[in-house]
Amino acid sequence: MSDLVKVYWAEASVNCTDSVEIWQEFLSIANNITGVTVINSIKHDFPGGGFSGLVLLAESHMAIHTWPELHRAWVELATCGDPAGIDDFKAAIKHWVAVNNEL
C-alpha cells in the first residue's frame, strides 16, 4: 500500500445495542476529524440489531460494523488526507470505547 493512504482499524468490546445512537456517534466522529471531508453516508440494519455503516470521504472512507449479540464493533478509517486525522480518529474511538465499554 502506498504511503499516501493511511489506514487505522480497531475491534472493540462495547455496548452497541442501540444502532441509532452508535451511528450518530460515528457520524459525529467523522465530522470532527482533521483533514477529511464527508461526502455521504449510508447505514444498513441487519435483523437482530447489528448494522454496517459507511461514511464516504473525499479522502477515502470510514466504516463501522457491529455485532450487538457479541458486544463487538469493528471500525476503520482510510485516508489520504491530513495524517492528523488518523490521530483524531484513534482518540475519538478510544474515548467511544471507554464510554461504551461493557466489560
Side-chain angles (χ1 to χ4, degrees):
M1 182 176 293
S2 167
D3 288 337
L4 176 66
V5 178
K6 303 294 183 210
V7 178
Y8 173 77
W9 63 269
E11 186 176 348
S13 295
V14 292
N15 178 358
C16 51
T17 55
D18 186 341
S19 70
V20 172
E21 180 180 337
I22 297 299
W23 180 238
Q24 290 304 314
E25 290 174 8
F26 196 70
L27 291 176
S28 177
I29 290 169
N31 285 309
N32 289 299
I33 294 176
T34 300
V36 301
T37 304
V38 175
I39 295 174
N40 207 345
S41 63
I42 188 168
K43 173 181 173 263
H44 177 79
D45 293 298
F46 294 100
F51 76 92
S52 291
L54 174 71
V55 179
L56 180 62
L57 306 172
E59 301 76 15
S60 194
H61 71 277
M62 286 176 49
I64 183 169
H65 308 280
T66 67
W67 296 269
E69 69 278 11
L70 301 174
H71 301 283
R72 304 295 288 171
W74 178 85
V75 296
E76 173 185 285
L77 168 64
T79 180
C80 61
D82 187 337
I86 292 286
D87 294 333
D88 291 351
F89 187 72
K90 286 180 184 178
I93 294 302
K94 189 174 188 178
H95 175 76
W96 174 68
V97 169
V99 169
N100 292 287
N101 199 309
E102 280 286 295
L103 303 176

